[in-house]
Structure formats: structure tokens, C-alpha cells
Amino acid sequence: MAAKASVTERAASAGVRVPEGELEGLRTTVRAAVLDQPVWDFHTHLYPPVFGTPLGGTSAAADPRGLMLWGVDELLTYHYLVAEVFRVVPARRLAYADFWRMTKREQADHVWKHLFVERSPISEACRGVITTLSRLGLDAPERDLEGYRRWFSEQDPDEQIDRVMELAGVTRITMTNAVFDDNERQRWLESPAAGSDGRFAGVLRFDPLVQDWPAAAERLAGWGYAVKAELDDACVAEARRFLREWIDRVAAIYCAVSLTPDFCFEGAGDRRTSSAVLARVVLPVLAERGLPFAMMIGAKRGLNPGLGDGGDGVGLADVASVGRLCAEFPQNRFFCTMLARENQHELCVVARKFGNLMPFGCWWFLNNPSLITEITRMRVELLGTSFIPQHSDARVLEQLIYKWEHSRELIADVLADKYADLASAGWRASDQEIRRDAGLFFQGNLARFLAN
Ligand code: RAT
Ligand code: ZN
């Protein structure tokens, strides 16, 4: 009788019966939980000062090829903005080569003039610069680029990292350590302290190993590993040695590749080289080390090479291949993000089938308000709390501020709706439960997936 009565009571409280004030209170709680939640940023291209920095600031010597990018000139020459400025001043008026010949400061002046001064900076990447400057206390309405430059040059890069992490609410930054990048590889080899900054976690990234084995083999051979284009047993053993050594060197918490949209894994017996490298080299080593493998799939490399990093496009990828990997390698764990909007639903469905798959982030061209809202909403509906909603992909330190502020707002709104719907269905999550769930989204799911 009692159970029947409570079902009736709950039914009676469904829909419009939750008082408006209570729903408002719930929304406020959800927003506060998300906005305050410390973040562990799953994927960035940021580095600590030990990797050198082109803008020395007050404490370091400027290192033109340094990897730690920070400051207003770097913010303005972010590749998202380079692509945007070439829409306004196209290559027929300013040749790509002429742009790349300019100094960083001249490039930044060009972007500032055409995207911020001569028209309003309403794109997401432009707005991001404004959010960032404002939160740093720089007066954006003044539009004083020289003044911003002066302020940055008076900062200490190491202290700037602390300041930015504090403002962004980020507690740990995950790097992308590209072993096939000569500049970066050299720095790891020469500086034993490279991985010692506790604010940063290392990730071994090796796209060519999977996407272009013959070229990768040539490089490995040059670095002293006995490998060749044909992947025989001896070669597999050497390639595994290479991976193990570099996983240790960067203290990688996972390994990662970006794969083009044509990436395909056909399952057991697949004879493609990329599949063989995965099946015989990468996944066995990761299983042995207990490390997950992150796949970022869908970037069409070099669609317009003139734009540099900004020249990549997007293509529809084969999500079924991800499912086959999860099925064939149940002892491995996979993080996955895809670049095409059209792949997002299928990726969620595959994630429902495989507990060893963790979808993450709204990547690159998807890192825009309308799409973050759409994708996050769908993921919550299909996966509940079991995904990583966002990563920053920041390349310039201060981008952490805007990327996280903008994303948090959107994720908070989606979750506020979901908890309100839940309340209408008859389940009022407590404040503590809401904070627990927010913790899963912003670091707990990552920590747990890394741990087992
Ligand atoms: O989003 C980006 O900044 C891209 O340029 C890529 O770095 C991409 O995120 C990648 O990691 O390959
Ligand atoms: Zn990236």
C-alpha cells in the first residue's frame, strides 16, 4: 500500500508541479557547482617554462623556438585567428608567404587591425581574446594593444601559469608531447627536468607511427632503433622498445594520436600497416603499462597548407572502427574524440556498448557554443555522467581562461536543464550529489579511467 501511495504521490508531483522557486534554486546550485569545479584539462598544447618561451617576461631569456606560448601576440596569432584573418584579407591581397615572413608582432598587428578594430570580434575565437584580456584585468574597451603588450612583458612566465590556472579554475594541465617533433624531442633529450613541473602531466603523441609507418620507421632507424618498413617480429620488438622508453621519458599518463578521417580498423586479420602497428606495437605496450590510448579522429590535414596549423579541414570518420578496436582489445582503454559533428551521435552509441571507451571534448571546429550545447546535451541523454565533456586544446597559456569560462557556462546550462527535468520526474538531487556529479565531469571520470 505504502509503495503504491508513494508512486501516486510522485506522479502527482510530475511536470509543472515542481514550484518555480525550487527549480530556480536547483538551477543556481547546478550552475555554482559547475562554475566552481576544479578542472583537470584533458588535452592541451601547453608547456612549462623549462621548454623555453619566446616571450621571456621578467625572469627568462627569450627563446624564439621555445614551446611555452603566452602573451597577447600569441593569443592574436592563434591558428584559428590566422584562418579567420585570411577570410578578410585573402591570399590574393596578402600572400601566405608574406604573412609568415612577418614578425610575430606584425602578424598580431594585422590580426588586431582586421578582426578587432575594423570589424567587431564576434567569432568564438575572437571573443575568446576579449574574455581573456578582461579576466586578466586588462581593459578591453581601451583597445590598447601596446598597453597589453607592456603588461605581459612585465610578467614572470612561471607566475603567469599560476595566475592563469587560478583564474581558469584549472588544477592540472595535460600536455601533448610530440615525439616526432624535432624541437620538442631534443628538449626532452637535453633537459632531464623537462617533466618535473607538477602542474603539467605528460602525454606521448606519435601520429606518424600509426598513420605513416614507413616514414616513422625511417626516423626511428635514425634514432638507433633497428626497424624497417616491413613490420616483422624483430621490428615489432624494437618499435615496442622505442615506445616504452619514451613513455618513461615523458612519464606519459596516456598515449595519443590524431587520425585522418579515412582511418579504418577492420578487426582481426586487418592487414593495413596502421592496424598492424596498433595491434602489434601500440596496444600491447599500453596494455602492459596500464595506460589508455587517445584517438582524435577526423582532421583532414593540410586542406590549405598556406594557412599552416590553421589549414586543416574536417571529414566524416568511420566510427565503427572505434567499436571494433574496443571489442578486439578489451584489455585496452580508449579515449576518443571526433571532429565531425555528424560523427557525434554514433560515437555515443558505440560508447554505450563499450565500457573501455571514454568520449571526450568538443574538439576544434566543434568548440563553439551552439555545438558544445548540442553535443553535451546529447551525451548526457545517452551516457549520463560517464564522459569527459570538454578539454581546452589551448595552445597559448591564457586561452585556458576563455576556453574554460565559455565551456563551463554552456555545460552548466545543459546540466541545469537536466537536473530540472529530473526534479519534474520526481527526483530532487541534493546539493552534494550535484557537486559529486560535476566533479566526475571535470576530473573524476578522467582520473578513474586513467586508474583502471
Ligand atoms: O585544435 C587544434 O588546435 C588543432 O590544431 C590540433 O592541435 C588538434 O587539437 C590536435 O591535437 O591535433
Ligand atoms: Zn590538440
Side-chain angles (χ1 to χ4, degrees):
M1 274 304 269
K4 205 172 172 190
S6 75
V7 169
T8 318
E9 268 165 35
R10 267 189 266 129
S13 72
V16 291
R17 301 280 178 128
V18 183
E20 222 13 78
E22 207 178 299
L23 278 184
E24 248 344 281
L26 186 57
R27 290 184 158 280
T28 309
T29 305
V30 175
R31 283 184 57 79
V34 170
L35 300 184
D36 299 345
Q37 194 54 232
V39 171
W40 181 350
D41 198 335
F42 177 76
H43 167 64
T44 76
H45 299 265
L46 301 178
Y47 297 83
V50 66
F51 286 87
T53 167
L55 174 62
T58 52
S59 74
D63 171 353
R65 300 195 66 220
L67 298 178
M68 178 192 162
L69 304 185
W70 64 292
V72 69
D73 288 334
E74 298 292 353
L75 287 169
L76 288 171
T77 53
Y78 185 30
H79 69 76
Y80 293 28
L81 292 177
V82 170
E84 288 176 30
V85 82
F86 271 102
R87 295 206 42 72
V88 175
V89 184
R92 61 181 181 278
R93 284 174 42 209
L94 174 67
Y96 297 120
D98 290 338
F99 176 81
W100 294 116
R101 254 194 300 274
M102 291 176 181
T103 62
K104 175 119 321 208
R105 175 186 267 266
E106 288 166 348
Q107 291 170 358
D109 284 339
H110 178 73
V111 171
W112 180 252
K113 173 174 188 293
H114 292 284
L115 294 185
F116 291 77
V117 177
E118 294 192 354
R119 47 188 48 71
S120 297
I122 55 176
S123 76
E124 176 62 7
C126 283
R127 179 173 71 112
V129 175
I130 304 304
T131 303
T132 303
L133 294 175
S134 302
R135 299 304 170 264
L136 285 167
L138 297 166
D139 195 352
E142 286 284 318
R143 303 179 186 189
D144 174 16
L145 182 51
E146 285 309 322
Y148 308 147
R149 282 182 171 135
R150 226 175 3 263
W151 183 84
F152 279 100
S153 70
E154 287 159 4
Q155 308 309 313
D156 168 71
D158 194 67
E159 286 168 12
Q160 181 74 346
I161 294 174
D162 289 334
R163 176 185 292 120
V164 167
M165 288 176 80
E166 172 79 34
L167 283 168
V170 169
T171 50
R172 196 144 196 233
I173 298 172
T174 313
M175 297 183 274
T176 297
N177 304 112
V179 62
F180 285 92
D181 178 290
D182 287 334
N183 183 10
E184 173 156 4
R185 207 181 64 264
Q186 225 32 56
R187 288 173 193 269
W188 280 103
L189 291 172
E190 282 163 11
S191 164
S196 64
D197 191 318
R199 297 168 293 188
F200 293 79
V203 166
L204 189 65
R205 169 94 170 241
F206 44 72
D207 303 359
L209 200 71
V210 180
Q211 287 262 256
D212 189 355
W213 168 254
E218 235 178 273
R219 306 287 306 281
L220 262 63
W223 301 334
Y225 299 91
V227 295
K228 51 186 173 8
E230 190 206 338
L231 202 64
D232 58 17
D233 289 350
C235 186
V236 164
E238 278 292 272
R240 288 185 182 182
R241 180 168 74 88
F242 159 75
L243 270 191
R244 290 190 191 105
E245 285 177 7
W246 274 93
I247 285 172
D248 291 343
R249 183 166 284 124
V250 311
I253 58 166
Y254 65 85
C255 290
V257 290
S258 165
L259 300 165
T260 47
D262 55 1
F263 170 74
C264 178
F265 175 73
E266 280 173 356
D270 185 342
R271 302 186 68 82
R272 280 159 229 271
T273 327
S274 57
S275 302
V277 171
L278 283 179
R280 301 189 63 196
V281 179
V282 175
L283 296 175
V285 170
L286 291 182
E288 158 199 312
R289 292 300 176 93
L291 296 178
F293 183 48
M295 297 178 293
M296 309 178 68
I297 313 177
K300 265 194 189 154
R301 297 295 176 194
L303 187 62
N304 181 353
L307 291 172
D309 285 339
D312 294 352
V314 56
L316 211 56
D318 180 42
V319 185
S321 288
V322 176
R324 282 185 217 113
L325 282 167
C326 294
E328 291 275 333
F329 298 93
Q331 71 284 16
N332 284 95
R333 282 161 283 140
F334 299 88
F335 291 110
C336 186
T337 197
M338 302 193 102
L339 197 51
R341 178 191 190 184
E342 297 79 0
N343 281 142
Q344 302 307 317
H345 182 251
E346 194 178 349
L347 181 62
C348 282
V349 174
V350 172
R352 288 177 66 88
K353 311 298 146 194
F354 297 101
N356 58 341
L357 174 60
M358 176 64 77
F360 73 91
C362 300
W363 178 25
W364 203 343
F365 312 117
L366 298 174
N367 194 351
N368 289 305
S370 58
L371 297 170
I372 294 170
T373 299
E374 170 187 299
I375 293 167
T376 306
R377 198 172 278 279
M378 178 178 65
R379 285 175 173 168
V380 172
E381 287 158 8
L382 281 161
L383 302 173
T385 59
S386 69
F387 65 98
I388 298 171
Q390 193 54 306
H391 66 273
S392 76
D393 232 312
R395 283 176 178 262
V396 181
L397 174 67
E398 293 82 8
Q399 288 170 342
L400 288 175
I401 298 171
Y402 93 80
K403 300 245 187 191
W404 282 108
E405 179 176 320
H406 292 188
S407 286
R408 275 177 202 272
E409 285 287 339
L410 300 159
I411 294 166
D413 283 344
V414 170
L415 292 180
D417 284 352
K418 293 301 172 193
Y419 284 99
D421 290 350
L422 191 60
S424 299
W427 182 287
R428 171 66 163 93
S430 69
D431 293 9
Q432 201 191 356
E433 287 166 339
I434 291 168
R435 286 195 174 274
R436 172 201 61 197
D437 299 346
L440 290 175
F441 283 127
F442 289 95
Q443 38 176 262
N445 287 337
L446 170 54
R448 282 191 201 191
F449 204 72
L450 288 174
N452 63 60

